[in-house]
């Protein structure tokens, strides 16, 4: 009888006898399979994927009729090719020719390609993480997400005096609570995007219905726009092979209906003013990373806001029309200091300001509805940072979904005033950047779709470009689908956020006066040195003031000072944690405890050697006198005589 064997290189028919063993089929398969196939790696299975896979070498005593195979049945065969380098060549063996390097499995657009032209290192894994079984059991999300998960998010409504006909304890359709994703409430409050947790409730109610008593499924799934690895079809990985199971589907862009963060709140106006001082003094642009914490935002149902407490400016070269970032070597150290202060990295902020030349402080308006709000280069930059800072959530099948990383721009508005705009790149933008599908354009208002060719014109072996479309409203008011190649508007990759300042500011860092110099500002004559630490402590009461007045505590309440002291490496981890607690909580008891540590005493000694003379460290037994002692002329004469006696010629 005839059995059919289907493998990665095709289907083969072999004549066998029912009494033949499976191991006896190895020589027959070697005659039809590629030459470089390893006989010991040949496997058979009853299914193309997720079947019962067995090695032929393990089926030496199993006959064909024992498994119930009949004439014309099909089996799925798998194998591995022998490695010439691993086997080595014997004496006198000649190197393989170019014709021997050709394999029937190495094909691109139907034509075989030499192994030498293949990339030595496979393309990086740009897709999202692998699917996790029961992510709600293993994924640890933020305490804020756990808090919002426990809330129902219902929007309460008062009793309608006109339409409600029931008593005070009754309820009807006109006064019953609304869901957090109710479109009528969002339209009334002019909320453009759903909050993340409102969007989660909306899709979860459609995905998991308790009345059906079906198994739970995570409602969130990140888009995947790159070729999947380990395709179950059994063909070689991309670029050697591809099928409908592993290639990405066509992409249809549309505005994202939700946002991961709803509001950006700056704890104090001095945070932005410090960033603007560099532009005022140099005329060059500036970029900084936002540090703070996430909190509940009550203005939006189940909303989240990013509270910015400090801006750290990494090494950079400022120019009038942009910024060039340099290597940020102490990024992890700054993150550690922020973590000790109860903060995390929230986003990035940069300036785009040009003086209008009127002498009144006005600036030129560059970003408006007729130009752009965020350029394609800035969108790609924001998407890359969001990809580096994913959001863990137990509601996603991969344990990750989106990012809380925000992007803020300080630019001029239509009235010539300096204003702040907050954005996020959509999840589709992040995945398209990771899959290398789009690239920035010289026109800041459009994004380019990359071609399938490399820069030298040859077909790309590591990038697969699917079809990309976007929907728009044409001149007749009809929603039409357009091909995104070669370019499409950048607004399809943006999500706008609101921003503002608190009405009653209560920042963590409350340093008075000019504060400690900001890092990496040598271009405007500012530098962080040891003597500037002593100068700031002396100007604000110093170490002795930590026990007697709040100004001494506030002298340490500076994020830039904390990062500089961490870089000195004088204080231990426990002492640094205590220092950060003093800087953020402003507690006099913690300040007194800090003064008694050995690391702080070492720091004061170093500051004294630097040339500045900070106030002396007080003794634990010293008690401040209620009133200053009156010094008479005799005491002054005796003290002067003692000093003269020390300078004796003997």
């Amino acid at each position: 009888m005839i059995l059919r064997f289907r493998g990665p290189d095709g289907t083969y028919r072999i004549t066998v006898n029912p009494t033949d063993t499976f191991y006896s089929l190895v020589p027959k398969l070697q005659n039809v399979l590629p030459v470089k196939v390893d006989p010991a790696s040949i496997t058979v299975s009853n299914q193309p994927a997720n079947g019962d896979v067995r090695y032929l070498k393990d089926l030496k005593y199993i006959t064909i009729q024992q498994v119930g195979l009949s004439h014309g049945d099909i089996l799925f065969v798998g194998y591995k090719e022998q490695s010439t380098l691993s086997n080595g060549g014997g004496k006198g063996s000649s190197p393989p020719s170019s014709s021997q390097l050709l394999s029937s499995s190495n094909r691109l657009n139907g034509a075989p390609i030499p192994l030498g032209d293949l990339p030595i290192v496979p393309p990086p894994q740009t897709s999202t993480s692998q699917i996790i079984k029961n992510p709600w059991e293993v994924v640890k999300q933020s305490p804020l997400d756990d808090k919002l998960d426990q809330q129902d998010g219902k929007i309460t409504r008062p009793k309608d005096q006109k339409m409600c006909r029931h008593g005070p304890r009754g309820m009807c359709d006109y006064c019953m609570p609304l869901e957090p994703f109710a479109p009528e409430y969002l339209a009334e409050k002019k909320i453009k995007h759903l909050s993340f947790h409102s969007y989660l409730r909306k899709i979860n109610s459609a995905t998991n219905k308790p009345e059906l008593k079906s198994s739970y499924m995570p409602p969130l799934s990140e888009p995947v726009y790159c070729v999947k690895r380990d395709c179950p079809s059994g063909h070689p990985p991309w670029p050697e092979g591809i099928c409908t199971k592993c290639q990405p589907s066509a992409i249809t862009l549309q505005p994202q209906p939700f946002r991961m963060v709803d509001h950006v709140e700056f704890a104090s106006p001095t945070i932005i003013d410090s960033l603007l001082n560099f532009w005022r003094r140099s005329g060059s642009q500036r970029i900084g990373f936002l540090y703070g914490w996430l909190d509940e935002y009550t203005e939006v149902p189940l909303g989240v806001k990013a509270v910015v407490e400090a801006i750290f400016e990494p090494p950079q070269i400022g120019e009038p029309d942009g910024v060039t970032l340099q290597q940020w070597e102490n990024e992890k150290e700054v993150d550690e200091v922020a973590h000790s202060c109860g903060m995390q990295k929230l986003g990035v902020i940069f300036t785009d300001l040009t003086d209008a030349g009127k002498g009144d402080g006005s600036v030129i308006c560059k970003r408006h509805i007729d130009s752009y709000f965020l350029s394609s280069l800035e969108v790609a930059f924001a998407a890359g940072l969001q990809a580096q800072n994913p959001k863990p959530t137990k509601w996603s099948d991969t344990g990750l979904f989106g990012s809380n990383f925000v992007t803020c721009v300080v630019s001029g508005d239509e009235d010539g005033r300096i204003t702040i705009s907050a954005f996020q790149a959509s999840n589709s933008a992040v995945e398209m950047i990771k899959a290398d599908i789009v690239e920035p354009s010289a026109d800041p208002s459009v994004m380019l779709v990359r071609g399938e060719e490399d820069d030298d014109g040859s077909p790309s072996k590591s990038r697969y470009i699917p079809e990309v479309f976007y929907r728009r409203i044409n001149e007749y008011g009809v929603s039409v689908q357009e091909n995104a190649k070669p370019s499409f508007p950048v607004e399809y990759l943006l999500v706008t956020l609101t921003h503002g300042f608190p009405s009653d500011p209560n920042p963590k860092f409350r340093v008075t006066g000019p504060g400690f110099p900001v890092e990496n500002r040598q271009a405007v004559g500012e530098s962080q040195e040891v003597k500037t630490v002593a100068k700031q402590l002396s100007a604000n009461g110093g170490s002795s003031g930590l026990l007697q007045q709040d100004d001494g505590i506030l002298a340490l309440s500076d994020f830039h000072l904390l990062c500089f002291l961490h870089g000195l490496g004088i204080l231990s981890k426990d002492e640094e944690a205590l220092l950060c607690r003093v800087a953020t909580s402003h507690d006099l008891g913690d300040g007194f405890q800090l003064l008694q540590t050995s690391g702080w005493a070492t720091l004061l000694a170093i500051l004294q050697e630097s040339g500045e003379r900070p106030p002396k460290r007080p003794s634990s037994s010293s008690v401040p006198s209620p009133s200053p002692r009156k010094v008479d002329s005799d005491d002054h004469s005796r003290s002067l005589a003692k000093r003269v006696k020390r300078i004796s010629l003997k």
Side-chain angles (χ1 to χ4, degrees):
M1 62 181 181
I2 296 178
L3 291 181
R4 294 177 296 167
F5 293 85
R6 179 174 298 174
D9 296 299
T11 304
Y12 315 100
R13 291 175 174 84
I14 298 178
T15 303
V16 299
N17 293 322
T19 57
D20 292 343
T21 62
F22 279 93
Y23 185 71
S24 64
L25 300 180
V26 174
K28 298 180 180 181
L29 288 173
Q30 281 186 289
N31 295 331
V32 295
L33 293 177
V35 181
K36 298 178 60 177
V37 170
D38 185 7
S41 66
I42 300 178
T43 61
V44 291
S45 175
N46 57 344
Q47 297 290 337
N50 301 325
D52 188 9
V53 181
R54 298 291 184 89
Y55 284 95
L56 289 181
K57 63 181 180 180
D58 298 335
L59 304 176
K60 293 182 178 181
Y61 306 104
I62 305 298
T63 61
I64 295 176
Q65 62 182 2
Q66 287 180 350
V67 297
L69 294 177
S70 58
H71 178 74
D73 287 348
I74 185 171
L75 295 176
F76 299 91
V77 62
Y79 46 81
K80 296 181 180 179
E81 296 183 355
Q82 295 178 347
S83 175
T84 305
L85 296 178
S86 62
N87 293 338
K91 292 184 178 181
S93 60
S94 60
S97 61
S98 59
S99 60
Q100 293 174 338
L101 291 177
L102 293 177
S103 173
S104 58
S105 62
N106 301 333
R107 294 178 178 272
L108 183 63
N109 297 330
I113 54 179
L115 293 178
D117 292 345
L118 292 177
I120 299 176
V121 180
Q125 180 71 23
T126 54
S127 62
T128 55
S129 303
Q130 300 295 329
I131 295 178
I132 302 176
K133 184 179 181 181
N134 301 337
W136 55 89
E137 297 178 355
V138 297
V139 176
K140 183 180 180 181
Q141 56 185 16
S142 65
L144 178 60
D145 290 332
D146 293 333
K147 177 183 177 181
L148 294 176
D149 288 342
Q150 297 174 359
Q151 300 180 9
D152 58 359
K154 299 286 187 178
I155 304 171
T156 58
R157 293 188 296 175
K159 181 180 178 180
D160 195 328
Q161 301 298 331
K162 295 182 179 180
M163 305 301 297
C164 295
R165 304 298 181 186
H166 51 77
R169 295 182 177 272
M171 185 181 296
C172 64
D173 292 341
Y174 298 100
C175 61
M176 66 181 299
L178 297 176
E179 294 290 343
F181 50 84
E184 58 270 21
Y185 178 82
L186 300 178
E188 178 185 356
K189 298 297 183 179
K190 296 182 179 180
I191 300 175
K192 186 177 181 180
H193 299 279
L194 287 172
S195 65
F196 167 68
H197 285 271
S198 297
Y199 174 75
L200 178 60
R201 304 293 172 85
K202 181 178 180 180
I203 62 173
N204 190 38
S205 61
T207 305
N208 301 294
K209 298 181 179 180
E211 60 272 13
L212 298 180
K213 297 182 179 181
S214 58
S215 59
Y216 175 80
M217 295 177 57
L220 297 177
S221 180
E222 285 195 315
V224 179
Y225 297 152
C226 60
V227 178
K228 297 180 181 179
R229 300 291 183 86
D230 302 328
C231 182
S233 299
H235 60 76
W238 170 260
E240 300 178 39
I242 195 171
C243 67
T244 56
K245 294 182 179 179
C246 59
Q247 72 178 19
S249 304
I251 304 173
T252 301
L253 297 174
Q254 52 187 353
Q256 185 170 287
F258 65 95
R259 54 192 177 190
M260 307 300 296
V261 177
D262 302 279
H263 184 75
V264 179
E265 180 182 289
F266 294 91
S268 174
T270 57
I271 301 175
I272 299 297
D273 191 62
S274 176
L275 182 69
L276 293 178
N277 283 337
F278 183 87
W279 171 77
R280 295 189 181 106
R281 297 175 60 181
S282 65
S284 301
Q285 308 305 327
R286 200 66 174 167
I287 189 172
F289 285 89
L290 308 175
Y291 283 90
W293 44 284
L294 297 174
D295 197 9
E296 185 178 358
Y297 186 52
T298 57
E299 300 297 326
V300 176
L302 301 177
V304 176
K305 68 177 179 180
V307 182
V308 180
E309 295 283 354
I311 298 178
F312 188 91
E313 301 176 8
Q316 56 192 284
I317 300 177
E319 300 175 2
D321 58 347
V323 174
T324 302
L325 283 176
Q326 296 180 325
Q327 184 67 27
W328 187 7
E329 298 179 354
N330 63 334
E331 180 178 3
K332 293 183 179 180
E333 298 179 2
V334 176
D335 292 341
E336 292 177 2
V337 175
H339 181 72
S340 301
C341 297
M343 304 187 303
Q344 63 181 9
K345 189 184 299 180
L346 297 178
V348 66
I349 184 172
F350 56 89
T351 61
D352 184 18
L353 299 169
T354 302
D355 187 26
K358 300 179 180 179
D360 55 356
S362 59
V363 294
I364 298 176
C365 177
K366 304 177 184 179
R367 303 167 186 260
H368 49 83
I369 192 172
D370 295 327
S371 60
Y372 63 94
F373 293 102
L374 206 64
S375 68
S376 57
L377 180 62
E378 295 163 352
V379 170
F381 176 68
L385 292 176
Q386 290 180 207
Q388 298 174 11
N389 299 271
K391 174 186 177 66
T393 176
K394 63 182 181 181
W395 301 98
S396 173
D397 53 0
T398 60
L400 301 173
F401 188 81
S403 174
N404 290 333
F405 205 85
V406 301
T407 300
C408 298
V409 184
V410 183
S411 186
D413 60 4
E414 297 179 353
D415 298 330
R417 297 174 298 183
I418 298 177
T419 185
I420 305 173
S421 302
F423 304 94
Q424 272 191 311
S426 64
N427 290 1
S428 297
V430 174
E431 293 300 325
M432 293 177 75
I433 291 295
K434 291 166 61 177
D436 201 17
I437 296 177
V438 295
E439 61 180 349
S441 169
D443 185 355
S445 62
V446 298
M447 184 75 77
L448 294 178
V449 179
R450 296 179 65 97
E452 296 184 357
E453 297 81 14
D454 289 332
D455 296 337
D456 56 357
S458 61
S460 176
K461 302 182 180 66
S462 60
R463 180 175 63 248
Y464 181 84
I465 307 297
E467 294 292 333
V468 183
F469 303 95
Y470 70 96
R471 303 195 68 88
R472 69 176 184 89
I473 304 298
N474 62 4
E475 61 272 15
Y476 304 104
V478 181
S479 177
V480 295
Q481 181 171 284
E482 298 281 350
N483 193 342
K485 295 181 179 180
S487 63
F488 62 93
V490 75
E491 285 79 11
Y492 286 87
L493 306 178
L494 281 183
V495 178
T496 58
L497 315 179
T498 59
H499 72 280
F501 297 89
S503 56
D504 187 14
N506 186 25
K508 284 189 174 183
F509 303 104
R510 306 177 184 176
V511 62
T512 58
F516 193 70
V518 182
E519 57 281 338
N520 302 310
R521 285 195 177 183
Q522 293 82 1
V524 292
E526 293 185 12
S527 60
Q528 294 181 337
E529 299 177 358
V530 176
K531 62 181 181 180
T532 55
V533 179
K535 184 181 299 183
Q536 177 162 340
L537 295 180
S538 301
N540 292 274
S543 56
S544 61
L546 291 171
L547 299 176
Q548 301 175 4
Q549 55 185 357
D550 292 337
D551 290 342
I553 290 286
L554 299 183
L556 298 176
S557 187
D558 192 319
F559 184 70
H560 307 285
L561 175 62
L562 298 180
C563 294
F564 179 76
L565 294 179
H566 177 82
L568 295 178
I570 300 175
L571 304 179
S572 63
K573 291 186 177 181
D574 295 337
E575 292 170 346
E576 285 185 0
L578 179 60
L579 175 63
C580 294
R581 189 162 66 248
V582 171
T584 55
S585 63
H586 320 112
D587 185 76
L588 292 177
D590 292 336
F592 179 78
Q593 183 180 356
L594 177 63
L595 290 180
Q596 309 308 314
T597 59
S598 59
W600 187 259
T602 305
L603 176 62
L604 292 181
I606 294 176
L607 296 181
Q608 188 172 3
E609 293 294 333
S610 65
E612 296 290 338
R613 185 177 179 85
K616 295 181 180 180
R617 175 187 176 192
S619 174
S620 58
S621 60
S622 62
V623 179
S625 57
S627 60
R629 184 175 61 90
K630 183 178 181 181
V631 181
D632 53 10
S633 59
D634 295 339
D635 293 339
H636 180 72
S637 300
R638 284 194 296 268
S639 61
L640 180 61
K642 290 180 180 179
R643 290 199 297 270
V644 172
K645 184 178 181 180
R646 291 194 188 99
I647 314 176
S648 172
L649 296 177
K650 298 181 180 180

